[in-house]
Amino acid sequence: MSSIEILGHRAYKGCYPENTLLAYDKAYEAGVHTIETDIQMTKDGVVVINHDATTGRIFDQDLVIAETDYSELANLRCKSTEYRNEKLPTLVDALEWAVKHPNVQLMIDIKFTNEKIILIKTLGDMLRVKNDVAYWQQRIVWGLWTLDWYQFGVETGVLKDFRFIVISLSLEIAKQFVEYSERLDNDHYRLYGVSLHYVCSWTSQFQKEWFPYLRKNGLKVYLWTVNSEPDFKYLCSLPIDGAITDDPVTARQLCQQYKKTPENTFKRPYFNSKEGFRFYGFIAIYKLVITLLFSPWSHYKILGKWSLAQLLFQILRLIHFL
């Protein structure tokens, strides 16, 4: 097995304001070759770099990006006093940064809460920065969450000859992407890989059924977001391709510590141990999440504008499960 690639989650979320150009710089200095980053689109159609649909978690005003013109968003600054000069980058800012750092590729996580035109806008920004689509096909990996975005990318031709992956909690959704890719049978639009929550890789179903299935279809396998030492111990005993992490430096050290050897095989902890309690508890949470988030009944509104699935999603984000 070759070494596991370390991907910077939101560039270098663990130590610097996420998805800022400062975090990009620090990830580059840390030797990251792939920066995972997120995009949203403003009211006036400018693609910006931000994970959330709103700005209040990182910046000094809480604005809804899709309801705000970029001219107003351009005035935002990081609310951390230590990094007060950091602003909300545009995608053009990120792409210009990438041109200056040719050894790094961007994995762009496109939130499905956006309008699909963001795909076309993103490709337009690439060509605006450097009018060479073949260049960007080597520098960009697109991340898609639902099958209709894949279909839209094929229908419009946006995804042609680009690498793209499915990002999901659900193995069933990943399977939809794989099957659609196989039905297309078109190398110009072939699925490149999957990016899955790391806990799903602990399950027997993943290891005995899904991983061989994904490998059979020639897909890269990435796990997110891996940060703690025991999780790297498990990860390094599995034949996966990459780990998306908040702290690339620590991640690389842990991967070296738990480097895969014939002796280092995946071992489930004893149920009655501290590690076992966490391990089996996380698997139980993962299975509950899948049931709730992907069951039609869980999306009915029960508390005003909130559904059970939305409430669970917010709770899981608070405890850093997502």
Side-chain angles (χ1 to χ4, degrees), residues 25 56 99 152 169 172 177 195 297 299:
D25 287 337
V99 170
F152 180 80
L169 283 163
E172 290 298 328
F177 274 72
S195 181
W297 56 264
H299 293 271

Side-chain angles (χ1 to χ4, degrees), residues 15 41 49 63 112-113 153 176-177 200 202 218 258 264-265 274 294 310 315:
C15 297
M41 189 167 65
I49 304 294
L63 301 172
F112 57 84
T113 50
Q176 291 175 14
F177 274 72
C200 84
W202 299 354
Y258 293 108
N264 181 21
T265 57
K274 180 179 179 180
F294 299 99
Q310 289 170 320
I315 292 169

Side-chain angles (χ1 to χ4, degrees), residues 242-295:
I244 301 171
T245 180
D246 292 338
D247 186 345
V249 171
T250 300
R252 189 171 290 107
Q253 292 169 349
L254 289 171
C255 280
Q256 189 63 33
Q257 179 180 343
Y258 293 108
K259 189 173 182 180
K260 185 171 176 62
T261 65
E263 295 76 29
N264 181 21
T265 57
F266 190 90
K267 296 177 182 177
R268 291 173 175 80
Y270 291 111
F271 187 84
N272 60 354
S273 66
K274 180 179 179 180
E275 185 177 340
F277 180 79
R278 176 181 181 271
F279 180 92
Y280 294 105
F282 269 39
I283 289 179
I285 292 172
Y286 170 75
K287 291 180 177 179
L288 176 63
V289 168
I290 296 303
T291 300
L292 291 179
L293 292 185
F294 299 99
S295 297

Side-chain angles (χ1 to χ4, degrees), residues 70 126 134 147:
Y70 176 69
M126 293 178 198
L147 185 62

